[in-house]
Amino acid sequence: MATGKVAGKATSLWDNMRIRFIVCFLGVFVCYFYYGILQETITRGDYGQEKFKFARTLVLIQCIISVLFAKFLIQFFEGSKPDHTASWLYGLCSLSYLGAMVSSNSALQFINYPTQVLGKSCKPIPVMILGVTILKKKYPIAKYLCVLLIVSGVALFLYKPNKSATVADDHLFGFGEILLLVSLTLDGLTGVAQEHMRARYQTGANHMMLNINLWSTLVLGLAVLWTGEVWEFLSFADRHHKIIYNIFLFGLTSALGQTFIFMTVVNFGPLACSIVTTTRKFFTILCSVLLFGNVMSSMQWVGTILVFLGLGLDARYGKAPKKTTH
C-alpha cells in the first residue's frame, strides 16, 4: 500500500508540467554542459602536428550510442507501446538533423568554440521562420523583438572592426560562418519535422530519438565507408589513444542529453526546446573562455549578453496568449 502511494505521488509530480519542464531543463543543461567541454577537447585538442578532421565519424559514433541508449529506454520503460510515425518522416528529419550536427562540428575547424556556440544560439530564428512559412504558426510581436535582440547580439559578436587578417584567414573564417548558417537552416527544418510528428502522430520522445539516430547511423555509416574516413579515423585514434575515452564520454553525454531534448520537444515543442538548449550555452561559453583560453573582446561580451537577454525575455514574454473558451 505504501509503495502504491509513493508511486502515485511520483506520477502526480511528473504530471505537473512545471516540474517536468525543470527536469528537462536541468537534464539538458548538465549533459550538454559537459558535452560542450568534451566537444572542444576532441575537435581542438593538442595532437602534435595533426588536426582532428573526422566530424562525420564523430557524429556517427554519437548516433550509434544514442540508438543503443534509446533502445534500452524503450525496452525497459515503454514495453510494446506502438509507434505510428511514418518512416519517411524519420528519414527526412534525420537528414536535416545529421547535416546540422556535421556542419556545426566541422565549423570548429575554422572558428573557435564561443563563436560556434553563439552562432548556434540563433537556432530559435530558423525554427520560428520555418514555423511561420511552412506550418503557418503565429507568434506574438514580443517574440519578433526578442529575435531582433538575438540577431543584434550575434552581429556584435562577429563584427571585428580592426581585423587585420590575411586573405586565407578571411576565407577560413567565412567558411566557418557558412557552415554555421547551413547548420542553423537544417536545425529549422528539423524543428518543423519534429513539430509535425508531435502534432500528427503524438510521437514519443524515445521513439523519436531511436529512429532519427537509426536513420542517421545508416546514412553516415555509408558516407564514412564510401570516403574511407573511418579508416583514417581508426589510424588517428591508434596514434592518440586518449581520444577514445573522450569520444565514448562524448557519445554518452550526447545520448543522455538527447533523451531530455526529445522529451522537451514532445512535451513543450521544438521552439521551447531550442530556447532551453540555448540558455545553457552562455555558461558553456564562460567555461570555454576559462578552460581553453578563448579570448573575447568587450564588444563580444556585449553581444553575448544581448543574445541571452533576448532569449530570457523570449522565455518570459514571447509566448502566444492562451485561447480562452466561453
Side-chain angles (χ1 to χ4, degrees):
M1 183 68 71
T3 305
K5 286 182 178 179
V6 171
K9 187 175 181 181
T11 303
S12 63
L13 277 175
W14 185 243
D15 287 339
N16 186 314
M17 296 306 286
R18 182 169 294 181
I19 291 176
R20 191 177 296 190
F21 183 81
I22 291 171
V23 170
C24 290
F25 177 84
L26 290 176
V28 170
F29 183 90
V30 173
C31 292
Y32 278 100
F33 183 79
Y34 189 41
Y35 169 92
I37 295 173
L38 288 167
Q39 187 180 38
E40 185 157 19
T41 301
I42 294 166
T43 57
R44 297 176 68 86
D46 182 12
Y47 304 109
Q49 299 298 317
E50 296 184 274
K51 284 186 176 182
F52 184 88
K53 51 181 181 180
F54 310 102
R56 285 173 295 189
T57 306
L58 179 63
V59 176
L60 173 62
I61 296 171
Q62 180 181 342
C63 290
I64 291 172
I65 294 175
S66 295
V67 166
L68 296 174
F69 195 79
K71 190 69 178 175
F72 170 82
L73 291 175
I74 292 172
Q75 185 72 30
F76 289 95
F77 295 100
E78 294 191 15
S80 57
K81 183 180 178 181
D83 176 33
H84 302 291
T85 309
S87 295
W88 67 266
L89 193 54
Y90 280 132
L92 187 64
C93 187
S94 72
L95 290 176
S96 57
Y97 167 79
L98 192 58
M101 285 201 298
V102 172
S103 299
S104 61
N105 277 292
S106 299
L108 285 170
Q109 296 177 39
F110 309 103
I111 56 178
N112 63 27
Y113 193 68
T115 303
Q116 189 248 35
V117 169
L118 203 71
K120 290 289 283 183
S121 297
C122 294
K123 184 178 177 180
I125 298 173
V127 171
M128 187 179 75
I129 291 173
L130 292 175
V132 169
T133 55
I134 297 178
L135 299 179
K136 308 301 180 185
K137 297 189 72 173
K138 294 183 179 180
Y139 297 101
I141 297 297
K143 184 170 288 293
Y144 292 99
L145 296 176
C146 292
V147 166
L148 180 62
L149 200 58
I150 293 170
V151 172
S152 301
V154 172
L156 276 178
F157 187 91
L158 297 177
Y159 179 62
K160 292 181 172 62
N162 298 319
K163 184 178 179 182
S164 56
T166 62
V167 174
D169 288 336
D170 253 350
H171 175 70
L172 290 177
F173 182 78
F175 191 58
E177 285 184 316
I178 291 170
L179 285 171
L180 276 181
L181 184 61
V182 169
S183 181
L184 284 169
T185 304
L186 293 173
D187 276 333
L189 291 172
T190 303
V192 169
Q194 289 174 334
E195 184 68 52
H196 183 67
M197 290 182 203
R198 178 172 170 259
R200 181 168 181 177
Y201 299 101
Q202 291 78 50
T203 310
N206 295 326
H207 281 100
M208 189 182 289
M209 178 179 171
L210 171 66
N211 287 283
I212 289 176
N213 280 286
L214 198 58
W215 276 90
S216 299
T217 298
L218 177 63
V219 173
L220 265 184
L222 293 173
V224 297
L225 284 172
W226 177 264
T227 60
E229 182 183 305
V230 64
W231 312 119
E232 293 179 27
F233 168 77
L234 290 174
S235 177
F236 182 88
D238 187 53
R239 294 191 298 274
H240 306 282
H241 295 97
K242 63 179 181 181
I243 200 174
I244 298 173
Y245 177 71
N246 286 334
I247 288 178
F248 174 74
L249 284 180
F250 176 77
L252 198 59
T253 54
S254 171
L256 192 56
Q258 279 188 56
T259 302
F260 289 106
I261 280 182
F262 285 117
M263 194 184 299
T264 307
V265 169
V266 167
N267 287 285
F268 305 100
L271 188 59
C273 180
S274 69
I275 292 170
V276 168
T277 55
T278 303
T279 52
R280 63 91 189 168
K281 291 177 182 177
F282 181 76
F283 297 95
T284 306
I285 288 177
L286 289 178
C287 186
S288 178
V289 170
L290 294 173
L291 294 182
F292 298 97
N294 290 312
V295 180
M296 290 171 59
S297 66
S298 299
M299 184 175 290
Q300 287 178 316
W301 278 115
V302 171
T304 302
I305 291 169
L306 283 178
V307 168
F308 291 100
L309 178 62
L311 290 167
L313 291 173
D314 179 72
R316 176 65 181 86
Y317 300 107
K319 296 178 182 178
K322 292 183 179 179
K323 295 180 180 179
T324 57
T325 55
H326 299 282

